[in-house]
Amino acid sequence: MANGNTSLRERLSEATDKLASSSFVESVLRPGSPFKKGYSDSPRNRSYVIMNNVLYHLHPVKVKRHGVKLSYTLCLGGLSFFLFILLTITGIFLMFYYAPTVENAYTDVAALSTSVAFGSLVRNMHRWGAHLMVLVVFLHMSRVFYHGAYKPPREFNWVVGVILLLLTLLLSFTGYLLPWDQLALWAVTVGTNMAGFVPVFGAQVKFALLAGAEVTAGTILRWYVLHVLFFPFIIVLFMAVHFWRVRKDGGISGPL
Ligand code: HEM
């Protein structure tokens, strides 16, 4: 029995060795992978594990001690990102049950609470998550300001951050019209009237936002596309630059 076990183990390790040295596995694994043949637990290989992994490489190989302290960043940037992911997932769920037309929008949203399994829960997660994201992004900005992290060399990332705040507000506001209820109609009427007072291009900005002179069927389609496609796409681009710059500017600022 003992002999049988040993030979089975030997055969297994032979098979895994063969697999590990096959050109297919070689092509998938990056240098430093613990699954690579001949891997040793050296400091260089430990660094490679972080650098060469699609998920880990966002993190620096070495971090300053204060940078991982929860009390320094309060994880507010990470929470902003988490909320964005949550909003994307719940938003995709809502898209299955919502058509951006004058005839369907209001009843589709109402049906989420009455006829869709978990509809009310997911809708409220999306709505409250959006409010929370605006608050958390603002708190993150306040934390960055308090620590003076906008100073050189991080001025550019502060500007990217301001654009992210603007995009967060625009995402929230374009979602506001979609339930097509009285609150939505009048909020958007007030908002776009305010946009009409933008210097020089006010009338053009208002017209572009409304897809006409007032809130109509064209407006709901325009805001839907802006909300589910255009602004999410732009914010993902700016987030990628934002995270990349945190790394390139030397990691988290501080300590105070
Ligand atoms: C969607 C919005 C945003 C997301 C997802 C986001 C995400 C992050 C993350 C994950 C970090 C790493 C450390 C941390 O958690 O503090 C960070 C750092 C930073 N963020 Fe943001 N951020 C957003 C908006 C903003 C805004 C509105 C500003 C400022 C106007 C800003 C300016 C900065 C700066 C300067 C840093 C470097 C901080 C340091 O080194 O201490 N970010 N951001």
Side-chain angles (χ1 to χ4, degrees):
M1 191 67 192
N3 268 349
N5 263 346
T6 318
S7 67
L8 182 66
R9 204 176 295 141
E10 270 171 8
R11 266 185 283 157
L12 258 176
S13 91
E14 228 173 75
T16 45
D17 274 0
K18 230 182 197 174
L19 191 70
S21 51
S22 73
S23 54
F24 170 71
V25 173
E26 277 285 316
S27 73
V28 173
L29 299 176
R30 300 270 303 136
S33 165
F35 300 108
K36 247 185 181 332
K37 210 176 162 212
Y39 173 82
S40 64
D41 187 11
S42 62
R44 175 191 281 256
N45 272 340
R46 284 180 183 205
S47 307
Y48 276 151
V49 169
I50 303 295
M51 280 190 280
N52 288 336
N53 183 292
V54 68
L55 295 175
Y56 296 155
H57 89 277
L58 280 176
H59 296 283
V61 170
K62 287 180 184 164
V63 288
K64 295 173 208 150
R65 194 175 285 275
H66 72 272
V68 284
K69 260 192 177 169
L70 193 64
S71 56
Y72 188 74
T73 62
L74 302 173
C75 200
L76 289 165
L79 275 175
S80 309
F81 182 59
F82 167 77
L83 285 168
F84 176 73
I85 299 295
L86 181 81
L87 287 163
T88 306
I89 294 169
T90 51
I92 291 172
F93 177 94
L94 296 176
M95 281 172 78
F96 285 122
Y97 299 99
Y98 175 87
T101 60
V102 173
E103 297 77 34
N104 297 318
Y106 179 79
T107 47
D108 281 356
V109 172
L112 281 168
S113 309
T114 53
S115 339
V116 177
F118 301 109
S120 200
L121 175 73
V122 179
R123 183 187 172 207
N124 278 304
M125 280 170 75
H126 196 74
R127 202 177 175 101
W128 286 101
H131 295 322
L132 205 59
M133 184 171 167
V134 172
L135 179 70
V136 171
V137 170
F138 180 76
L139 290 176
H140 167 60
M141 185 173 81
S142 310
R143 192 290 292 171
V144 168
F145 182 75
Y146 172 73
H147 283 152
Y150 54 83
K151 292 178 191 166
R154 298 183 176 77
E155 317 98 302
F156 178 73
N157 219 13
W158 173 266
V159 175
V160 174
V162 172
I163 295 170
L164 283 173
L165 174 70
L166 195 71
L167 287 166
T168 306
L169 294 174
L170 284 169
L171 268 166
S172 242
F173 195 51
T174 47
Y176 212 4
L177 179 68
L178 305 184
W180 203 243
D181 53 11
Q182 286 294 316
L183 182 67
L185 289 180
W186 294 112
V188 170
T189 304
V190 171
T192 48
N193 273 335
M194 284 164 70
F197 287 97
V198 166
V200 188
F201 302 111
Q204 285 80 0
V205 169
K206 186 178 167 190
F207 189 85
L209 284 175
L210 288 174
E214 57 185 33
V215 181
T216 58
T219 323
I220 195 168
L221 182 61
R222 179 152 304 191
W223 284 45
Y224 179 73
V225 175
L226 289 176
H227 185 71
V228 305
L229 217 68
F230 183 75
F231 288 131
F233 178 70
I234 304 283
I235 204 169
V236 164
L237 291 182
F238 276 92
M239 275 186 195
V241 175
H242 195 59
F243 299 161
W244 176 75
R245 277 305 288 239
V246 173
R247 282 285 309 278
K248 294 293 166 187
D249 292 340
I252 304 299
S253 63
L256 273 181

